[in-house]
């Protein structure tokens, strides 16, 4: 039998080039046969990581019948117990295991509403979902939980996260500090470093197996397209995925390119669609191309397996957040009566521009709405208005030019002393408590860059703040400075007290750690954008009541379209929607901030009020609101299922301590300078562990340097890890917590698992005495699909040899045999020869047991595949019912046939295939006491 026909599975051992290797990952169906990722076991390749392809060189799977039995002489049979535990940990959970294995193993509150997306992702054919929870519920934490479960299942080795530039560092920090999942950050600095480190022309995405990169960097097809086409991923995450909707854009094409190259695809957005059924259907097709047959006519049930959306008032969320998320306060509208000079500008805008007297020629199309651009600029600040007027004046002629000149003159005459909102802002900030010597912080939002820059340069002196107390963030800030500014604002020890920002910080950015005051210096003409802004401080983890203020510039003219007429109504509507519906999405009638604003401007142009505009839109048949009204919002009573995973150690902490003593011959203190101080573990990382940490930021590694070595500080104590995380946020400059939480997916745990597995020699299995009456062979059996993913994993105990073989679950046998830390190894003589003679019969018994149950297991694995095949039939039939013009009908048919063929090919690969892989793990023999 050629190596291409053999079943391989993670945790097994193979021979390649006459060296022994531990299999860590398997992928079938490549152009060069089965791809096997492995780490060296034998002396000359020990700890070397390698990738082999079965079509290019022989890969020999070890026959279980050839297992060499060895006596375990370690104290309390520690080596055997560690080996068995490591085999359990290294073996991926089968596809049929839908329960969560690691739900409570991380530095976060174990909330079932945040675990619910994991349940949905694992229930599907592939882990592909659109996570659409509203702003602030913790989508990053939910993504981290999903990725960790995929890693435990051997389906999360290669991960790519794509996010907006401003949240790269935030996302990276959350995944490391909360879950111990490292990501290489490929911002402009990171890309420059990579270009210096890797060989010219080398694909950066094969050099780093886990990375995070901004969508705007990655969308450049000329720079990265050929690399992406040559790269496959286990999981791709796209944060703020609503930016992918518009077909024909670079971002949409990037999304399609990535979707075709990954198993798991996680899309996250609080505003997942723009109100258009067809464009949303195209987004859903990235997850499941056969979910929607007719992009113009589909139901919530068609996407229920792909989509989850909850709000703060959804039953499960409401019942669990408790004091972890303080209720928001009201949005205080601060009325700012216009100064005399500002009133003159209101007059000019009302009597000339909004009255249509600014041009001698007929104004058509979007140009008709330009007066509202001027109005919005003025409601932001005179600085913003002056820039708008100046830019327009460059190409204006005739009456329009003269009108612009008059407006420019009025604006130029308006000084800071005439700016009523500026005076009100300073007064409100003092009321809040912002000032010299105070720790109180506030974030001030404005839509216009000139306003942000002006306020940042003016307010500091008016409040008497020191130079470093104010920061400004807008689209013109370099990406590295952008991330530094956001970090500084989140650090309690930094001197920053005021952040002036544009809406660049309104999506995805956390500003709630040290701040619960937000001021709208101007109001977006969009409920969606107001909600997004508020969500920066009104989010999960906010312990103080979020306080919102909005500065409203008002005119004495009854007919003026001032903030009282527009912005105040928008504030009231946003607050009502948040209180009664949990989100503004159902109250807008549209689902895209720009579309919402454009509609309002058009209605204002036609003399409709804000309320009339929204009421009219709400009265129309809102297909999307009806479609998603009940998705993910129903009360949930069932617990999130848990995986049943055998274990020999009570905790990962016990396993780690025992493993360190085992691999360093009970003297880790001498070999790696291991120190234990209460709940803290520190040690000098050996080179093979340092190699596994290369995905971590350079700043993290530098902070843990001790001379030429890397000193790691880790803990299993959640309270200690959380304190250190909180302390890192108290510092003056961005730093990493000095102590890391040791989760089950931490590289150190992964490293120890491999170190334990390679302690035994080539194809050896330990023999240990236990409370059994006859030899008991512990055997692992694995069936896999054509993608190399386990579909069945059986841990068997074989007894009754040679005459009446009996199979029972391994964990039951271990428990009954008393295998655990209280065992005593008397190091007595054990005759291995009769045990070796029975070994082939034990393997035959296990193989026969697997064969007898195969049909049952295959049917369980095939049931969801059969349902999907039926869905494909429905998709194919329904897709061809569209009444398309003849010219488009054949094109549609070809596309549908290609989709169906591609999906059937995937289903074929997911079917259980081939013979089982069997491994003899250990043999239990009667102890003298049992024999007696």
């Amino acid at each position: 039998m050629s190596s291409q026909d053999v079943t391989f599975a993670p945790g097994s051992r193979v021979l390649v080039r006459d060296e022994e290797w531990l299999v860590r990952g398997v992928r079938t169906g490549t152009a060069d046969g089965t791809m096997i990722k492995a780490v060296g076991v034998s002396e000359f390749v020990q700890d070397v990581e390698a990738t082999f392809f079965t079509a290019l060189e022989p890969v020999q799977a070890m026959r279980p019948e050839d297992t060499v039995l060895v006596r375990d002489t370690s104290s309390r049979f520690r080596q055997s117990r560690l080996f068995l535990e490591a085999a359990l940990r290294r073996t991926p959970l089968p596809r049929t295991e839908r329960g969560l294995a690691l739900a409570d193993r991380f530095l976060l509150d174990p909330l079932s509403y945040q675990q619910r997306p994991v349940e949905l992702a694992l229930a599907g054919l592939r882990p592909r979902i659109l996570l659409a929870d509203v702003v602030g519920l913790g989508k990053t934490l939910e993504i981290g939980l999903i990725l960790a479960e995929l890693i435990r299942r051997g389906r999360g080795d290669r991960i790519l996260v794509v996010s907006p530039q401003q949240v790269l560092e935030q996302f990276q920090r959350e995944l490391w500090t909360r879950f111990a999942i490292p990501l290489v950050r490929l911002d402009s600095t990171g890309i420059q470093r990579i270009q210096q480190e890797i060989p010219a022309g080398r694909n950066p995405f094969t050099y780093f197996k886990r990375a995070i990169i901004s969508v705007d960097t990655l969308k450049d097809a000329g720079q990265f397209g050929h690399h992406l086409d040559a790269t496959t991923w286990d999981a791709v995450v796209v944060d703020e995925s609503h930016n992918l909707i518009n077909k024909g854009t670079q971002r949409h094409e990037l999304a399609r390119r990535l979707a075709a190259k990954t198993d798991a695809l996680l899309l996250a957005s609080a505003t997942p669609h723009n109100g258009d059924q067809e464009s949303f259907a195209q987004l859903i097709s990235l997850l499941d191309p056969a979910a929607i047959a007719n992009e113009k006519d589909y139901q919530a049930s068609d996407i229920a397996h792909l989509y989850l959306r909850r709000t703060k008032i959804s039953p499960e969320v409401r019942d669990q957040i408790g004091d972890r998320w303080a209720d928001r306060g009201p949005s205080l509208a601060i009325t700012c009566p216009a100064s005399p000079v500002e009133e003159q500008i209101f007059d000019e805008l009302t009597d000339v521009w909004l009255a249509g007297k600014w041009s001698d020629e007929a104004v058509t199309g979007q140009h008709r709405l330009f007066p509202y651009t001027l109005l919005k600029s003025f409601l932001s600040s005179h600085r913003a208005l002056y820039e708008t007027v100046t830019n327009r004046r460059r190409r204006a002629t005739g009456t329009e030019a003269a009108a612009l000149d008059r407006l420019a003159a009025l604006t130029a005459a308006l000084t800071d002393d005439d700016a009523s909102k500026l005076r009100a802002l300073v007064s409100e900030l003092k009321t809040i408590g912002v000032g010299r010597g105070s720790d109180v912080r506030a974030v001030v939002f404005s839509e216009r860059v000139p306003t942000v820059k002006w306020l940042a340069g003016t307010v500091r002196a008016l409040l008497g703040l020191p130079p470093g107390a104010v920061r400004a963030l807008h689209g013109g800030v370099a990406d590295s400075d952008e991330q530094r500014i956001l970090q500084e604002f989140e650090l309690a020890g930094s001197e920053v007290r005021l952040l002036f920002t544009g809406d660049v910080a309104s999506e995805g950015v956390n500003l709630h750690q040290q701040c619960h005051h937000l001021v709208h210096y101007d109001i977006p003409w969009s409920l969606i954008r107001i909600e997004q802004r508020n969500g920066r401080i009104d989010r999960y983890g906010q312990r103080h009541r979020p306080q919102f203020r909005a500065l409203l510039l008002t005119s004495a003219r009854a007919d003026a379209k001032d903030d009282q007429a527009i912005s105040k109504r928008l504030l009231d509507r946003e607050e009502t929607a948040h209180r009664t519906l949990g989100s503004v999405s159902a109250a807008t009638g549209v689902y895209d901030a720009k579309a919402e604003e454009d509609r309002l401007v058009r209605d204002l142009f036609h003399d409709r009020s804000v309320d009339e505009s929204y009421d009219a839109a709400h009265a129309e048949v809102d297909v999307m609101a009806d479609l998603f009204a009940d998705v993910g919002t129903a009360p949930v009573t069932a617990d999130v299922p848990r995986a049943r995973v055998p274990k020999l150690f009570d905790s990962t902490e016990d396993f780690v301590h025992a493993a360190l003593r085992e691999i360093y011959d009970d003297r880790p203190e001498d070999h790696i300078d291991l120190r234990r101080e209460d709940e803290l573990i520190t040690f000098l990382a050996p080179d093979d562990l340092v190699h596994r940490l290369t995905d971590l930021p350079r700043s993290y590694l530098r902070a843990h340097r001790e001379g030429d070595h890397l000193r790691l500080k880790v803990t299993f104590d959640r309270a200690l890890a959380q304190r250190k995380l909180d302390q890192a946020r108290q510092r003056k400059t961005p730093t990493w917590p000095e102590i890391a939480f040791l989760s089950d997916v931490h590289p150190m745990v992964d490293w120890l698992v491999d170190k334990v597995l390679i302690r035994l020699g080539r194809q050896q299995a330990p023999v240990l005495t236990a409370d059994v009456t006859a030899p008991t062979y512990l055997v692992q059996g694995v069936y896999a699909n054509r993608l190399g993913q386990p579909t069945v994993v059986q841990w068997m105990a074989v007894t009754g040899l040679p005459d009446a073989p009996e199979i029972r679950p391994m964990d039951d046998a271990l428990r009954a045999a008393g295998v655990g830390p209280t065992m005593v190894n008397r190091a007595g003589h054990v005759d291995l020869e009769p045990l070796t003679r029975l070994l082939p019969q034990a393997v035959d018994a296990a193989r026969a047991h697997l064969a007898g149950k195969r049909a049952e297991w295959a049917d369980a694995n095939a049931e969801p595949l059969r349902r999907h095949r039926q869905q494909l039939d429905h998709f194919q039939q329904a897709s061809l019912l569209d009444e398309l013009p003849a010219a488009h009908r054949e094109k549609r048919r070809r596309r549908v046939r290609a989709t169906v063929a591609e999906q059937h090919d995937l289903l074929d690969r997911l079917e259980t295939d081939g013979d089982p892989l069997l491994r003899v793990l250990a043999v239990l023999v009667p102890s003298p006491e049992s024999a007696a």
Side-chain angles (χ1 to χ4, degrees), residues 740-919:
F741 183 69
L742 210 53
S743 79
D744 278 34
V745 297
H746 193 288
M748 176 187 173
V749 178
D750 197 55
W751 166 74
L752 284 173
V753 166
D754 284 348
K755 296 293 283 187
V756 165
L757 287 173
I758 64 178
R759 291 281 287 177
L760 290 171
R762 178 177 293 185
Q763 206 168 355
Q764 291 182 345
V767 176
L768 58 160
T769 58
D771 188 10
V772 295
T773 58
T776 302
Y777 292 77
L778 306 182
V779 183
Q780 178 200 47
V782 177
Y783 279 109
N785 60 30
R786 297 177 193 173
L787 294 176
Q789 302 166 345
T791 57
V792 176
V793 177
Q794 287 290 298
W795 305 92
M796 299 169 282
V798 183
T799 58
L801 298 172
D803 299 324
E806 180 182 340
I807 307 290
R808 61 173 172 159
M810 188 176 81
D811 52 338
D812 290 349
L814 290 172
R815 191 164 42 251
V819 175
T822 61
M823 298 176 76
V824 176
N825 187 352
R826 304 187 187 283
H829 174 72
V830 175
D831 188 354
L832 299 179
E833 185 177 347
L835 298 174
T836 302
R837 287 199 303 269
L838 288 175
L839 196 148
Q841 297 177 53
V843 172
D844 288 343
R847 186 177 284 116
H849 173 75
L850 293 176
K853 303 278 287 183
R854 173 167 180 163
E856 175 187 337
W857 292 327
D859 189 63
N861 178 66
E863 177 55 32
L865 306 185
R866 279 195 294 270
R867 289 198 302 269
H868 199 74
R869 291 188 194 277
Q870 293 172 356
Q871 170 60 26
L872 282 177
D873 292 340
H874 169 74
F875 169 77
Q876 186 164 17
Q877 294 169 11
S879 296
L880 301 179
L881 295 178
D882 284 356
E883 296 181 1
L884 294 172
H888 299 285
R889 198 174 302 136
E890 184 56 34
K891 182 178 179 181
R892 172 68 178 268
R893 284 176 178 165
R894 287 197 300 268
R895 188 168 69 248
V896 168
R897 282 196 294 266
T899 297
V900 171
E902 180 183 272
Q903 290 292 295
H904 275 301
D905 180 65
L906 171 64
L907 293 169
D908 290 343
R909 291 169 178 266
L910 294 176
E911 297 276 5
T912 300
D913 184 63
D915 297 325
L917 179 142
L918 290 162
R919 295 170 60 203

Side-chain angles (χ1 to χ4, degrees), residues 111 143 165 179 220 269 411 454 630 639 740-742 759 849:
L111 303 177
I143 289 168
Q165 179 67 47
F179 302 95
D220 184 349
S269 173
T411 305
W454 167 60
D630 297 322
D639 293 334
F741 183 69
L742 210 53
R759 291 281 287 177
H849 173 75

Side-chain angles (χ1 to χ4, degrees), residues 128 160 162 218 228 233 236-238 253-265:
R128 291 184 164 224
L160 178 68
V162 183
L218 197 59
L228 291 176
W233 303 94
V236 169
V237 178
V238 183
E253 293 310 309
L254 168 64
R256 292 219 162 272
R257 182 173 251 140
L258 292 173
K261 291 291 185 177
T262 184
D263 178 36
L265 180 60

